[in-house]
Amino acid sequence: MKKKEEKLQFRVNGQIHVREVRLVTDDGAEVMPIKQALDLARQQGIDLVEISPNAQPPVCRIIDYSKFLYQQKKRQKEMKQKQARVEVKEIRFGPQTDDHDYNFKLKHAKEFLEEGNKVRAYVFFRGRSILFKEQGEVLLLRFANDLEEYAKVEQLPKLEGKKMFLFLTPKKQGIVKQSQQKRDRLVAEQSAKESAKVKAVESPKTAGTLGDVKGADALKQFAEDNQD
C-alpha cells in the first residue's frame, strides 16, 4: 500500500496531461510540447517525471522514477535529521563581566539562536565572588532581555553550586518584533539595571544592595512574562 502511495506522488509519462512542459536537464531548461518531452524520455529508456505541477508550464525531468523517489526520500530524511539536531550552546560569564566581553558573547548567542540552537548561559562564581550572586542574576536577566527578539526563557536564573544558569530556547521564525511600548519598558528596565550596577560599584562590600535587588526584580518580571 505504501509503495502504491509513493507511485502516486508524482505524475509520470502518460499521466502528464498538459500541452507543454518545461523540461529541466543538466544543461538548463527548455519549454517544449509534451509529445516531444515524452519522445526524448522514450529515446533514453527512462521516465518523464512531473516535479513541479503548479508551475506554468509544469516542470518535468527525465529520470528513472524509482531513482527519483529514492533521492526524494533521502533528501527528506536528511532534512528531518537536520531539523532534529538541536544543540545546546554554552555562554559563560563572570559576575564582573565588562561591557565589551558581554557584547561579544551576546553576538554569539544571537548567532546560536538564529541557527535554531538552545543557549545555556551561566555565571561562574569563583571563591568569595559568590557574595555577588545578585549581580550575577541581574546580568543573566539582562542577557535574556537583550535576546528577547530571538529567544524565550526556558528556565529563569537558578543557582546550582558555584554556577547560576539561565536557559533560552529559540523563537520560531516570523515572530513579530516587539511593540514600541514594550521597547520603552525595556529601556526603563535597562536604566534601572545600570543604576543598580553603579550603586554596587560604589558599595562593593554590600553587593546585594537594594538597587541590585530592584534591578533584578524588574528584569526578572520581564523574563517571567516571556517565559514559555
Side-chain angles (χ1 to χ4, degrees), residues 56-95:
Q56 295 296 328
V59 178
C60 294
R61 190 176 184 90
I62 295 176
I63 188 174
D64 180 87
Y65 189 45
S66 297
K67 181 180 179 181
F68 174 75
L69 286 178
Y70 172 76
Q71 291 175 343
Q72 290 292 311
K73 288 177 66 177
K74 184 179 179 181
R75 189 176 294 112
Q76 290 173 2
K77 185 177 180 181
E78 289 174 349
M79 289 177 64
K80 188 175 181 181
Q81 288 177 339
K82 187 176 181 180
Q83 290 174 351
R85 198 182 301 126
V86 177
E87 297 182 23
V88 178
K89 301 290 187 177
E90 284 196 340
I91 301 288
R92 171 176 168 167
F93 294 102

Side-chain angles (χ1 to χ4, degrees), residues 31-217:
V31 176
M32 63 180 65
I34 182 65
K35 185 179 183 304
Q36 182 181 348
L38 287 170
D39 288 343
L40 289 173
R42 277 193 289 268
Q43 289 171 16
Q44 297 181 38
I46 44 181
D47 304 298
L48 180 69
V49 182
E50 187 182 55
I51 60 176
S52 183
N54 296 324
Q56 295 296 328
V59 178
C60 294
R61 190 176 184 90
I62 295 176
I63 188 174
D64 180 87
Y65 189 45
S66 297
K67 181 180 179 181
F68 174 75
L69 286 178
Y70 172 76
Q71 291 175 343
Q72 290 292 311
K73 288 177 66 177
K74 184 179 179 181
R75 189 176 294 112
Q76 290 173 2
K77 185 177 180 181
E78 289 174 349
M79 289 177 64
K80 188 175 181 181
Q81 288 177 339
K82 187 176 181 180
Q83 290 174 351
R85 198 182 301 126
V86 177
E87 297 182 23
V88 178
K89 301 290 187 177
E90 284 196 340
I91 301 288
R92 171 176 168 167
F93 294 102
Q96 306 283 346
T97 298
D98 60 42
D99 286 341
H100 180 270
D101 191 29
Y102 174 86
N103 290 326
F104 178 78
K105 292 177 179 179
L106 181 67
K107 178 183 176 183
H108 279 291
K110 288 178 181 178
E111 292 172 355
F112 294 149
L113 291 164
E114 287 176 337
E115 291 169 358
N117 299 306
K118 293 186 176 183
V119 170
R120 177 171 62 184
Y122 69 93
V123 178
F124 179 70
F125 300 98
R126 190 187 303 276
R128 293 178 61 82
S129 68
I130 192 68
L131 297 173
F132 296 86
K133 64 180 183 230
E134 288 85 2
Q135 285 181 239
E137 183 178 15
V138 169
L139 188 150
L140 290 177
L141 290 171
R142 172 192 175 191
F143 194 62
N145 182 342
D146 291 342
L147 293 170
E148 191 268 344
E149 289 187 20
Y150 301 85
K152 49 190 175 184
V153 178
E154 188 172 285
Q155 178 186 300
L156 287 167
K158 182 180 179 182
L159 185 64
E160 297 179 12
K162 293 184 177 181
K163 296 179 181 179
M164 182 176 286
F165 291 95
L166 167 74
F167 284 85
L168 301 172
T169 187
K171 283 186 175 180
K172 292 180 180 179
Q173 293 183 354
I175 295 296
V176 179
K177 288 190 176 182
Q178 56 199 5
S179 65
Q180 185 60 47
Q181 183 179 6
K182 197 169 188 179
R183 289 178 184 273
D184 292 342
R185 178 164 64 86
L186 295 183
V187 169
E189 290 168 352
Q190 181 70 12
S191 297
K193 191 277 307 175
E194 292 296 339
S195 232
K197 186 177 180 181
V198 171
K199 290 181 181 179
V201 171
E202 291 175 349
S203 306
K205 292 183 179 181
T206 57
T209 61
L210 181 60
D212 277 330
V213 173
K214 286 183 177 179
D217 287 345

